[in-house]
Amino acid sequence: MQLLHLDSSVLGADSVSRQLSMEIVARLRTLYPGIRVMSHDLAANPVAHLSGAHMAVRNGVVSEDPALNADLVKGDSYLEELLACDILVLGVPMYNFSIPTSLKAWIDRIAVAGKTFRYTEAGPEGLLQGKRAFIASARGSVYPPDSTFAANDHQESYLTALLRFLGIEDIEIVRAEGIAFGPEARAAAVTRALESIAAI
């Protein structure tokens, strides 16, 4: 069994999403002894955002740019790691109602027609069926589903929509929210999240 673990927060050791994602990985190591873990820090070692040059190579143009070619290799390796994994763990803070751009850059390398999804006469079909995903979500405010503020959540809603589009239906969100409401609120949110991880 293989696990792919990605963190995207820019806060390093101060990051709640990193704390939660590491706890999820530790819990899964306990549940599945011998599981192989591949980890990436997308904030510290990001893949470049897609450009016209990237798309030109995808369409058959030969690149003589060493930096671009190295980045294309990195992007291809991310795709292969995702295809090979059984479990995906994402550490994702909310930045301005959405996800970090480093994670979006990773998504743009793995959401590839013919690899992780395909278009059919019946519509799009995800090709990653059978995989399991955990989202370690951290956000400063709260977004109750029955509130008008819920419409501002383009973090968890986007990720779950994307993963389902790619064929991953088994998605579990471990959430610490309201962490910007003060030290006590942050500590309580983290404690609740850690309790849910212990119950995995």
Side-chain angles (χ1 to χ4, degrees):
M1 183 175 286
Q2 297 189 60
L3 184 154
L4 179 59
H5 171 209
L6 305 175
D7 273 318
S8 55
S9 170
V10 299
L11 296 180
D14 292 329
S15 166
V16 171
S17 65
R18 286 177 183 271
Q19 178 185 356
L20 299 183
S21 73
M22 287 189 291
E23 289 293 332
I24 292 170
V25 172
R27 177 62 178 160
L28 294 173
R29 284 185 186 272
T30 299
L31 293 174
Y32 305 107
I35 191 171
R36 289 173 290 177
V37 177
M38 173 68 71
S39 296
H40 291 295
D41 185 337
L42 298 178
N45 186 24
V47 67
H49 289 276
L50 282 183
S51 67
H54 287 91
M55 298 307 294
V57 172
R58 277 192 184 178
N59 291 324
V61 174
V62 176
S63 167
E64 297 182 0
D65 181 344
L68 174 62
N69 290 336
D71 189 69
L72 289 164
V73 170
K74 181 189 289 188
D76 289 343
S77 71
Y78 285 159
L79 174 59
E80 294 305 317
E81 289 168 356
L82 177 62
L83 293 173
C85 82
D86 302 288
I87 301 175
L88 175 64
V89 177
L90 299 173
V92 190
M94 176 185 276
Y95 290 164
N96 297 313
F97 305 128
S98 188
I99 64 173
T101 61
S102 61
L103 180 57
K104 180 58 167 65
W106 177 85
I107 288 169
D108 288 341
R109 301 307 183 90
I110 60 87
V112 179
K115 297 289 187 179
T116 52
F117 71 94
R118 64 184 173 189
Y119 292 110
T120 72
E121 292 182 357
E125 176 187 3
L127 300 178
L128 300 183
Q129 297 95 339
K131 299 184 188 297
R132 188 178 185 188
F134 292 87
I135 299 170
S137 168
R139 43 217 207 162
S141 190
V142 295
Y143 301 82
D146 57 349
S147 71
T148 56
F149 208 47
N152 292 338
D153 172 17
H154 304 289
Q155 173 213 24
E156 293 178 8
S157 60
Y158 168 69
L159 289 172
T160 53
L162 171 84
L163 292 172
R164 288 178 178 141
F165 179 81
L166 299 180
I168 302 176
E169 296 291 339
D170 188 352
I171 304 168
E172 184 167 346
I173 298 174
V174 175
R175 179 185 304 115
E177 64 180 356
I179 61 175
F181 293 172
E184 291 183 1
R186 174 180 172 131
V190 170
T191 296
R192 288 191 295 269
L194 294 176
E195 288 172 350
S196 67
I197 292 171
I200 292 173

